[in-house]
Amino acid sequence: MRNKVILILCIILQISLLSGCWSKKELDEISILSGIGIDNTDNDQILLSMQVILHREMKIDSQSGKRGKEKPTQIVEVIGNSLIDANRNYLLQTGRKGYWSHISVIVIGEELAKKGITPILDILERDNEIRQRTLILVAKGEAKDILMAETIDLEVVQAYNIKDMIDSSHNQGKSAKVDLHKYFLMRSKDFNSCFVPGIHTIKTTENISSLELTDTGIFKENKLVGWFNQNETRGLLWILDEIYNCITKVNYPGEKSDFVIIETLRSRTKVKPVIINNTLKKIVLNVSAQGKIARSNEHVDLRKTKIINEIEEATESVIAHKMEDSIKKGKEFNTDIFGFGEAIYKKAPKLWEEMRDNWDDIFLSIPVEINVDMEIKRTGLISNSSKSKGM
C-alpha cells in the first residue's frame, strides 16, 4: 500500500512538470525593446521613444558571418498623457505589445528631469515586467536623440552600447552606475537625494552623432537640480567606496611641472560619524588605497624610499581634493547623496530620529574630515624613466 502511494505521488509530480508555459509569448505577437527614451512635449505630454529590435535583421549569414545591411533596430515614437498611456498607444501604431523585460537602459530627457519624474518612477517600480537591474541615465538634451545616435562598430544596438559604456567607465572611476533598484533604494531613504549618470550626443561627422558619457545628474525629490563634473563625480565615487580601478594624475615633482600617473589597484572608504554626548560633531572619511606607478618621468628616482613617500602624499592630496570638491558641490545643492545620514542612522538610530526633520540644515553645516592613506605597492619593471632626446 505504501509503495502505491509513493508511486501515485511521483506520477502527480511528473504531470505537474509537463504542464508547459502558461504565460508564453510568441515572437510574432510582441516587439522586443532594448532601450527607452522618455521626454516631455510642449503641452506636458509624455514622448516615449522605444528602440525596437528587428529580429529578422539580427540574423547572421552562416557563411559570411556578417549581418544584414539594414539597421537591426528601429525607433518608434509615441505620445500619451502618461507613461502607461504612451505605451498603450504603441500598440495602436504597431499592432504589437512592447516587451519591456529585455530593456537595458532607460534615458530621461533633461527638461523632463527638471520638472520631476515621480509619476514615471512610480510606474516603473510597480510594473513587474521591468527588471530592476535596468540602467537609468539622464540626457543632456532630449532622450530620443540618445537612442537615435550612431553606434560604434563593436555593437549594433545602441541601448546595449550604452550599457557597455556605463559598465566599463564605472569600473575605471569615470562615471556613476545606477540601475532602477539602486535609485529606488536611494529614494526610499529619509534624505530623498539621488544621482544618475549623464549622457549626451557629440558630432563625429557632419550628419552623424555619437555618444559620450558626461557628468552626473543630481536629483532631489526626484527633480534634477544640477550636475557634478567628472572630477566631482570621481570624488563622489571615492566617498561611496565605488572605486575599483582608476588612474590619478599627480604633479611630481612640482618644480619640474611634470607628472606621475598612479593606477589604483584596490581601495576602501569608511564613513564614520563622530558623536560625543549625543551630539554629532563631524563626519570622518577614512580612505585606504593601494596603487602602482603606471607612468613616471625622468625626474623621479623610484629606487629612493623618500621619493615613493612623497608621491604617495601627493596622490593622497589629489584624492582628498576631489572628495572635498564633491562635498562642496553637494552642499550647494543641499543633497546628501554621500550616505552621511545613513551612517548616522546605523550608528545612533535614536539620534538620527532627533535630527531627521532638520537634516537639510545640519548637513550644510556639519564639518567633514578626510583622511587618505595611499600605499604604492608596485613601481613597474624599471626604476627610472628614459630621458627624452627629442626628434
Side-chain angles (χ1 to χ4, degrees):
M1 182 65 182
R2 183 179 178 183
N3 292 336
K4 290 183 178 179
V5 173
I6 294 176
L7 179 61
I8 292 172
L9 291 175
C10 291
I11 293 174
I12 294 174
L13 179 61
Q14 290 178 352
I15 292 174
S16 66
L17 296 176
L18 298 174
S19 59
C21 300
W22 63 272
S23 61
K24 66 182 179 67
K25 294 179 175 65
E26 297 294 342
L27 193 59
D28 58 355
E29 297 175 355
I30 61 175
S31 293
I32 298 178
L33 308 177
S34 56
I36 294 293
I38 309 175
D39 294 293
N40 64 330
T41 64
D42 295 335
N43 56 352
D44 285 333
Q45 289 186 301
I46 293 296
L47 172 62
L48 192 59
S49 302
M50 311 174 77
Q51 187 176 72
V52 184
I53 294 181
L54 307 176
H55 58 275
R56 292 183 179 87
E57 298 299 335
M58 291 292 288
K59 292 180 180 179
I60 300 177
D61 189 294
S62 59
Q63 294 182 353
S64 65
K66 296 181 180 180
R67 294 185 175 92
K69 295 181 180 180
E70 299 296 328
K71 287 186 176 181
T73 61
Q74 181 177 345
I75 302 297
V76 178
E77 296 183 4
V78 290
I79 295 177
N81 296 321
S82 65
L83 187 63
I84 294 178
D85 187 37
N87 188 40
R88 296 291 173 86
N89 290 338
Y90 173 83
L91 182 64
L92 297 178
Q93 289 187 210
T94 64
R96 296 189 181 187
K97 179 183 181 298
Y99 195 57
W100 289 58
S101 292
H102 291 284
I103 291 175
S104 295
V105 295
I106 296 175
V107 184
I108 308 294
E110 186 173 11
E111 290 302 316
L112 176 60
K114 290 178 179 178
K115 291 183 178 181
I117 58 175
T118 299
I120 292 173
L121 292 172
D122 184 74
I123 295 172
L124 295 177
E125 192 171 14
R126 294 176 187 275
D127 196 329
N128 61 358
E129 188 177 291
I130 303 171
R131 297 180 181 179
Q132 297 295 291
R133 294 304 178 187
T134 303
L135 298 179
I136 181 171
L137 301 94
V138 59
K140 279 197 167 182
E142 293 187 325
K144 67 175 183 178
D145 295 334
I146 302 300
L147 294 177
M148 294 176 69
E150 292 293 323
T151 64
I152 59 174
D153 293 336
L154 297 177
E155 182 58 71
V156 295
V157 179
Q158 188 62 281
Y160 299 162
N161 179 38
I162 296 173
K163 182 181 182 300
D164 292 341
M165 292 166 60
I166 287 287
D167 289 339
S168 59
S169 62
H170 180 249
N171 290 337
Q172 297 176 19
K174 291 181 175 292
S175 173
K177 179 180 180 180
V178 179
D179 56 24
L180 290 175
H181 177 71
K182 183 174 181 177
Y183 189 96
F184 294 145
L185 284 179
M186 289 190 287
R187 189 190 63 166
S188 65
K189 299 171 185 175
D190 297 320
F191 346 105
N192 206 7
S193 298
C194 311
F195 58 90
V196 172
I199 190 169
H200 70 158
T201 58
I202 54 175
K203 289 287 185 180
T204 53
T205 62
E206 185 176 352
N207 298 320
I208 299 178
S209 295
S210 186
L211 296 179
E212 182 181 52
L213 295 174
T214 175
D215 301 344
T216 300
I218 308 301
F219 286 74
K220 185 166 187 178
E221 297 180 355
N222 295 324
K223 293 183 179 180
L224 180 66
V225 296
W227 298 89
F228 273 18
N229 62 29
Q230 192 174 80
N231 283 333
E232 293 157 350
T233 298
R234 176 69 63 85
L236 172 64
L237 296 179
W238 277 108
I239 295 170
L240 296 176
D241 195 24
E242 293 187 16
I243 292 292
Y244 306 104
N245 179 272
C246 71
I247 60 172
T248 302
K249 183 179 177 180
V250 180
N251 290 326
Y252 186 88
E255 65 273 9
K256 299 294 185 180
S257 299
D258 215 328
F259 63 92
V260 175
I261 292 178
I262 307 300
E263 181 180 354
T264 302
L265 302 175
R266 60 184 60 88
S267 71
R268 180 70 186 275
T269 301
K270 294 183 178 180
V271 181
K272 179 183 177 183
V274 177
I275 301 172
I276 302 176
N277 297 327
N278 203 39
T279 302
L280 178 65
K281 296 297 183 180
K282 61 181 177 180
I283 300 289
V284 177
L285 301 176
N286 293 318
V287 180
S288 177
Q290 296 179 352
K292 69 175 184 178
I293 303 289
R295 189 268 198 195
S296 185
N297 63 70
E298 62 184 72
H299 308 292
V300 176
D301 187 353
L302 297 176
R303 294 170 297 184
K304 297 180 179 179
T305 303
K306 178 177 178 295
I307 300 297
I308 298 295
N309 293 338
E310 290 177 350
I311 294 175
E312 290 174 341
E313 292 174 1
T315 307
E316 293 166 357
S317 178
V318 171
I319 295 172
H321 281 311
K322 292 182 186 296
M323 297 170 69
E324 290 169 356
D325 291 343
S326 183
I327 294 171
K328 181 180 178 181
K329 194 66 165 290
K331 288 188 174 183
E332 289 179 8
F333 297 144
N334 198 3
T335 55
D336 178 17
I337 57 176
F338 311 105
F340 295 163
E342 183 182 8
I344 297 169
Y345 169 74
K346 289 180 178 179
K347 185 172 183 178
K350 292 183 179 180
L351 176 60
W352 172 249
E353 288 296 324
E354 299 173 4
M355 301 172 58
R356 176 165 53 185
D357 293 337
N358 300 316
W359 177 242
D360 281 352
D361 297 328
I362 298 172
F363 170 71
L364 294 177
S365 59
I366 193 69
V368 180
E369 177 183 318
I370 300 174
N371 303 311
V372 182
D373 178 24
M374 168 61 75
E375 181 183 6
I376 295 178
K377 302 291 290 184
R378 287 183 274 169
T379 59
L381 298 178
I382 57 175
S383 57
N384 290 327
S385 298
S386 302
K387 293 185 177 182
S388 176
K389 298 180 180 180
M391 296 293 293

